[in-house]
Amino acid sequence: MLTIVLPMALEKPGLLNLGQSKRVCGKEFPYLVIGVGKESAQRALGKWASDYSNIYDSDVGNNSILLLGFCGGLDPSLRSGDMVVSTYYRLDPKLPEGRLINQLEPNQNMFLKAVNVVAKKNMRWIAAPSITTNDIVEKRTEKSKLRVTSNTATVNMEDFWVADFARQRGIPFLSVRVVIDEADQEVSRDALDLALPHISRWKVLQLVLSRPNELIRLRKLLFRLVLAKRKLGIFAGAFLASAEWS
């Protein structure tokens, strides 16, 4: 069984809008929203592993995890909407984790299938390492420094932790993301907050009145989000339909 995980409901492709699973070519694919960052992801995955232990413990060889989501660009050549199939999941060395393992790899069969899909769909894409941090990288200077010190192309807050969860259980894992903010674009936390589906109208009004520039940033962000979700939907539909999943 292949399970799809998403950091945020906001990242859910259109084909996953209804129910808790998606049926493609006669097969059912459950999906799970794990939340943003290490703690939320580990908590959600731990509960999921417990709830589905009868399935995953009985036939580990036929199970896999596909993470779909957004990411920030560190490589200046990347553009909003580019697909990223990571070659390595690296952990920010500045994090006080004290881990012996700070870099993990995707499952090669899943990786090759993903590369085949993006190539056949004529998408702009890159295969490159990503880095997992514990916070949003907002400033251009921060992005530039992180790229140099980590030698990675994109940044996120979950890939390494989900890959580590899968590694400990012998479950094949792959992350495929879409670039939202480019290397020279700064990230506005307020605009990100406004884009969340649960944000109250009162908070929207407060932010717009106090910081009108955020409305312009929000409009640009929403455009990029719509494009990214469309790309994820195209990829997910083709990936699930083309692969032989149990």
Side-chain angles (χ1 to χ4, degrees), residues 8 13 91 105 122 151 168 227:
M8 299 186 293
L91 182 64
E105 299 181 11
N122 294 317
N151 192 30
Q168 293 179 39
L227 174 63

Side-chain angles (χ1 to χ4, degrees), residues 86-95 97-108 128-132 149-154 158-168 173:
S86 294
T87 53
Y88 295 99
Y89 313 113
R90 293 176 180 160
L91 182 64
D92 188 344
K94 293 186 298 184
L95 298 183
E97 298 293 333
R99 301 181 61 88
L100 296 177
I101 298 175
N102 59 12
Q103 177 175 290
L104 298 168
E105 299 181 11
N107 174 266
Q108 287 304 301
S130 66
I131 187 166
T132 298
T149 58
S150 66
N151 192 30
T152 53
T154 62
E158 300 84 23
D159 280 5
F160 179 87
W161 304 119
V162 183
D164 191 46
F165 170 89
R167 176 190 65 84
Q168 293 179 39
F173 169 74

Side-chain angles (χ1 to χ4, degrees), residues 5-6 11 14-15 29 33 35 57 62 77 91 101 105 111 122 137 144 158 167 181 199 220 228 242 246:
V5 300
L6 310 112
E11 295 164 301
L15 83 167
F29 299 97
V33 177
D57 291 345
N62 286 323
S77 70
L91 182 64
I101 298 175
E105 299 181 11
F111 177 86
N122 294 317
V137 182
S144 178
E158 300 84 23
R167 176 190 65 84
D181 51 287
I199 190 74
K220 293 179 179 179
S242 67
S246 297

Side-chain angles (χ1 to χ4, degrees), residues 179-193:
V179 175
I180 291 294
D181 51 287
E182 300 172 9
D184 65 349
Q185 292 175 331
E186 299 204 342
V187 180
S188 167
R189 289 179 184 267
D190 287 335
L192 286 174
D193 286 343

